[in-house]
Amino acid sequence: MKLCVIGSEGYGKSTFTESLKRGKLKSVFTYESQRDDPQCIDERTVGIDVSTVDVPGVGRVSVYDVAGQNQFHKTHGFFFSVNAFFILLLSLVIGGEMRDPHQLYEEAKYWLCFLRASINKRIIPTVIMAASRLDRCPRGGKILQQLADHLRKVFAGKVVISLNTFALDCRKGSSRQMTGLRQHLRDVKKQNK
């Protein structure tokens, strides 16, 4: 399975990727050690980070963690392929403030249009919508679900947006939400064998 994690810079894509591959016990200890570590806050991906990982319950997954900085966007399309699945990771909070749903919509629309323009026109990509910073926005799950419902109509026939959405605290690999996402990836992998 090839999984491309896309989204803007500083939203937790790399943290999400690390949490996705950790089991419950390791997740607890990693979260506790990183929780107050200021160095963990500003580690940005440069270009793209490609790794093959064993995701608990899913198996081997090739993860393409693409940098969110604008200067790297033009290179992303080289790594998108027919057999890839995409996780669009948005942030529910920026600078300590909850984001307006219209801002989330505009950003998601940008990334979905970017994805659509970056791959073969005959391919309809599958996107799983996720959002980080659930710990700072308890209503995030509802906001994300409403956003995905609207985007499914806007992008009908152009992008398949998963019915399941995942609002997460990307640092918590053992959370109910991360476990649900792993289960969803397992189901997607089975359906596409």
Side-chain angles (χ1 to χ4, degrees):
M1 169 182 243
K2 180 176 180 179
L3 185 65
C4 296
V5 184
I6 61 174
S8 297
E9 71 178 298
Y11 286 5
K13 293 180 303 299
S14 297
T15 302
F16 164 81
T17 300
E18 286 299 313
S19 290
L20 184 65
K21 65 185 179 183
R22 287 195 301 257
K24 284 190 175 193
L25 186 61
K26 188 173 182 185
S27 291
V28 170
F29 288 114
T30 303
Y31 173 70
E32 288 300 320
S33 68
Q34 288 182 348
R35 187 171 54 177
D36 300 317
D37 184 355
Q39 262 190 321
C40 292
I41 295 171
D42 200 29
E43 293 180 8
R44 304 278 192 254
T45 300
V46 176
I48 188 166
D49 182 23
V50 180
S51 58
T52 301
V53 298
D54 285 312
V55 177
V58 178
R60 296 194 58 77
V61 178
S62 294
V63 179
Y64 290 66
D65 174 7
V66 299
Q69 299 92 328
N70 288 339
Q71 67 265 32
F72 296 115
H73 291 188
K74 60 187 166 207
T75 64
H76 295 346
F78 294 112
F79 301 97
F80 299 163
S81 64
V82 176
N83 60 342
F85 295 92
F86 298 86
I87 292 184
L88 171 55
L89 187 67
L90 303 169
S91 180
L92 296 166
V93 175
I94 292 184
E97 298 292 322
M98 283 181 31
R99 295 185 69 196
D100 177 85
H102 183 71
Q103 290 174 319
L104 287 169
Y105 169 76
E106 288 299 322
E107 184 175 356
K109 188 172 95 174
Y110 165 81
W111 281 103
L112 294 172
C113 286
F114 175 81
L115 176 59
R116 184 66 262 163
S118 299
I119 61 172
N120 186 313
K121 301 297 179 221
R122 293 175 292 183
I123 306 303
I124 299 177
T126 299
V127 176
I128 299 167
M129 301 273 303
S132 63
R133 316 270 194 298
L134 179 63
D135 56 314
R136 298 184 203 157
C137 182
R139 296 186 0 234
K142 183 177 181 182
I143 293 167
L144 183 62
Q145 187 63 55
Q146 290 171 342
L147 174 63
D149 291 344
H150 181 68
L151 288 168
R152 263 186 228 99
K153 295 172 190 165
V154 173
F155 285 88
K158 299 173 191 156
V159 176
V160 173
I161 299 173
S162 174
L163 293 174
N164 296 0
T165 61
F166 301 91
L168 311 156
D169 178 342
C170 290
R171 301 167 298 172
K172 295 184 178 179
S174 62
S175 70
R176 178 178 52 84
Q177 295 85 358
M178 190 65 78
T179 301
L181 177 57
R182 284 190 199 99
Q183 176 64 49
H184 185 64
L185 289 174
R186 185 171 36 244
D187 295 345
V188 167
K189 186 175 179 180
K190 283 180 189 175
Q191 292 170 2
N192 292 283
K193 277 191 172 182

